């Protein structure tokens, strides 16, 4: 508004639905939110596992070994509940290869897959990892707020049920 219009309003402004819509769009379309919406289901599950362990322990830094254990628990819960029916075919295939009962040579490579995902999340600024050689003892810490992750995951119907405990 021009200076004359601002003086006339005397610091009193009317908030319209357009202002509210603009604010909501700005908060839900940040680069981090866009990235979180675009990552794979398994990457989202790794983040959910970190947040679940963080909530249980009450400590912000989680050993990578505990993330592996939590991820393994979440996968087994997921595969033995009705949520399995809502997974896409490619997600089921990936889970079978990484965790699974498949006949693949790569079957059960939870640590390799998780480590790849953790390094990808670290490179994209979502989390930080302690630079030590002993993998299971390496500490992981989220580099963004839990709320930002939760808000992004609430839009996904499958993850919404998984994060109800966070």
């Amino acid at each position: 508004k021009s200076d004359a219009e601002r003086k006339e309003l005397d610091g009193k402004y009317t908030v319209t639905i357009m202002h509210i819509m603009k604010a909501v769009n700005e908060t839900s379309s940040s680069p981090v939110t866009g990235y979180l919406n675009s990552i794979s289901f398994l990457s989202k599950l790794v983040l959910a596992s970190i947040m679940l362990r963080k909530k249980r322990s009450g400590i912000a830094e989680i050993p990578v070994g505990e993330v592996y254990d939590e991820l393994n628990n979440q996968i087994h819960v997921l595969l033995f509940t009705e949520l399995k029916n809502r997974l896409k075919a490619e997600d089921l295939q990936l889970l079978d290869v990484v965790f699974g009962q498949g006949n693949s040579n790569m079957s059960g490579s939870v640590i390799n897959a998780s480590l790849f995902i953790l390094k990808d999340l670290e490179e994209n600024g979502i989390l930080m990892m302690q630079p030590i050689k002993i993998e299971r003892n390496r500490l992981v810490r989220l580099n963004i707020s839990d709320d930002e992750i939760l808000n992004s995951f609430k839009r996904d119907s499958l993850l919404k049920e998984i994060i109800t405990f966070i």
Side-chain angles (χ1 to χ4, degrees), residues 12-93:
K12 298 175 187 171
Y13 299 98
T14 303
V15 176
T16 65
I17 192 70
M18 293 307 292
H19 293 110
I20 295 169
M21 293 287 290
K22 184 177 178 185
V24 167
N25 286 337
E26 285 177 8
T27 59
S28 65
S29 63
S30 73
V32 172
T33 303
Y35 175 76
L36 290 174
N37 289 333
S38 70
I39 60 177
S40 70
F41 174 73
L42 194 52
S43 296
K44 291 176 182 180
L45 209 50
V46 167
L47 281 174
S49 297
I50 292 170
M51 293 178 66
L52 282 164
R53 278 294 165 143
K54 182 178 167 184
K55 174 146 174 123
R56 283 190 198 134
S57 69
I59 301 170
E61 293 181 329
I62 317 299
V64 170
E66 288 185 20
V67 175
Y68 296 154
D69 296 341
E70 184 66 40
L71 181 60
N72 208 3
N73 293 342
Q74 290 303 313
I75 294 298
H76 286 91
V77 166
L78 184 67
L79 293 178
F80 292 109
T81 63
E82 69 278 354
L83 294 176
K84 179 180 180 178
N85 300 330
R86 294 178 26 209
L87 281 171
K88 294 180 200 166
E90 64 263 16
D91 289 333
L92 274 173
Q93 239 175 353

Side-chain angles (χ1 to χ4, degrees), residues 90-155:
E90 64 263 16
D91 289 333
L92 274 173
Q93 239 175 353
L94 178 63
L95 293 176
D96 187 42
V97 167
V98 175
F99 295 94
Q101 295 84 14
N103 297 325
S104 156
N105 290 341
M106 298 182 339
S107 166
S109 59
V110 62
I111 293 175
N112 291 334
S114 302
L115 184 58
F116 175 79
I117 290 168
L118 287 171
K119 286 185 178 182
D120 182 56
L121 292 170
E122 181 183 33
E123 288 173 3
N124 285 291
I126 303 301
L127 55 85
M128 297 181 296
M129 288 198 302
Q130 185 182 27
I132 63 171
K133 299 259 185 216
I134 305 168
E135 216 46 61
R136 284 193 66 88
N137 294 336
R138 183 185 285 202
L139 296 177
V140 174
R141 179 188 191 104
L142 291 174
N143 200 27
I144 59 175
S145 75
D146 292 2
D147 291 337
E148 200 159 8
I149 296 170
L150 289 173
N151 288 336
S152 174
F153 287 3
K154 283 179 185 174
R155 294 186 190 112

